[in-house]
Amino acid sequence: MKVKALSRSTADYTRETKSDIQRLPRNVDPALHPLERAREYKRALNAAKVERMLAKPFLASLTGHIDGIYSMAKNPWDLDQVITGSGDGELRMWSLESQETAWRAPEAHRGIVRGVCSIPGGETDRFLSAGADKLVKVWSRSEGALANDGTPEAVATYSGKHAFSAVDHHRSRPLFATGSSQVEVWDVDRSEPIANMTWGADTINSVRMNQTEVNVLASSGTDRSVVLYDLRTSSALAKVVLKLSTNAIAWNPMEAFMFAVANEDHNVYTFDMRRMDHAVNVLRDHVSAVMDVDYSPTGQELVSGSYDRTVRLWDVARGHSRDIYHSKRMQRVFCVRYTQDNAYVLSGSDDSNLRLWRARASERMGAKSNRQRATIEYADKLKDRFKHVPEVRRVLRQRNVPTAIKRASNTKHEMLASRKRKEENKRKSAKPGTKPRIPERQKPILGTTSK
């Protein structure tokens, strides 16, 4: 004779600690919950409102420079360290934890500091600085000597023929590249460059080495071009010419062939180096020239700083910014960086302040319990599920934008709409087929060349 008995485990209803909530059985059959969607919509709307209510991205303003901050570098092997260079030739190393200056060289260069970069590897605290005084200097907080007045002295100095505008170091080899009237590749053990590369530009605006495909180097010049070079052969690979010049370049740390450029036409363009006849994406929300751009460590987001005094955060797959940061005292932004933990954003402007922002405006730092994490994940899922609903979308997109930015944005929108109408009218009056439609991702590109 077979006997079936009902069994009930105490683990199904017993709390692990006194602080836990009581476990209750729940039947997830949709037929028993006809109002579940309405409840979830209300929760999504409330979660969107709470997110905007708690959005306070600004954390701190680090003061100390007496001139504008025009160059910035982060140390990939030290989350706490940030290096900045100002217009009066001063270098500062900041501690983000204490929000204070950890090291400074008041007269590092005679004139503006055009570029700074850390030396990768994590075995040394050395970093490079390039200035308008035609010098590249190697600095170290621990190895550098002190002058009679107590100011630090450079570990090594390299002299060039022209004023430098940018500098970047190789990921693994003892090489660094500089930009002036041409792209120069230097060996740290030699006093002269080991390679000179140029392709049409009179002045190089930015130089950036690929940290994944380590033999690829990108540069932008005053002739509105972006050129890719091969370090193995010291020759150019490809060149793309845009309508306006490029101010900065950033390589995607997770996708070796992708890079972004900050352009004078108010837009950020992302390219695939294997096919540069069109942009992969066009990010357009700024109302003035974009001065700098940087990828997040995940490679899924971008941060840009503009001459319109704002910092914008982007999803690389979307065409419009997901957030905009600004303050009353912040002036034109010349350099921006993501921190290596993907949690903060740094911006340097010509009001001499280094500002620290949250990468997600409403996110709160600190340890979270499992219950808190589950609540946050559930709210994010609800907002993503109902983001197409007009009420939820309106709350999520609401931003307080300065009046000048709003006015300039409306003017720019009218100009672009008028330009589209003009093109459409020309197309209607022209012979069919003589004026084909040009995709938006190909409009800024004047031509491409490869070798």
Side-chain angles (χ1 to χ4, degrees), residues 104 126 193 208 244 275 281 336 377 387 398 408 415:
R104 65 185 289 261
R126 292 188 176 187
R208 188 60 64 92
L244 293 179
R275 188 177 178 184
N281 200 2
V336 290
E377 292 173 0
K387 63 183 179 183
Q398 189 274 335
M415 292 171 60

Side-chain angles (χ1 to χ4, degrees), residues 366-383:
K368 300 180 180 65
S369 65
N370 293 334
R371 186 179 174 188
Q372 288 175 318
R373 284 196 296 268
T375 301
I376 294 173
E377 292 173 0
Y378 178 61
D380 292 340
K381 289 289 185 181
L382 287 178
K383 287 182 289 186

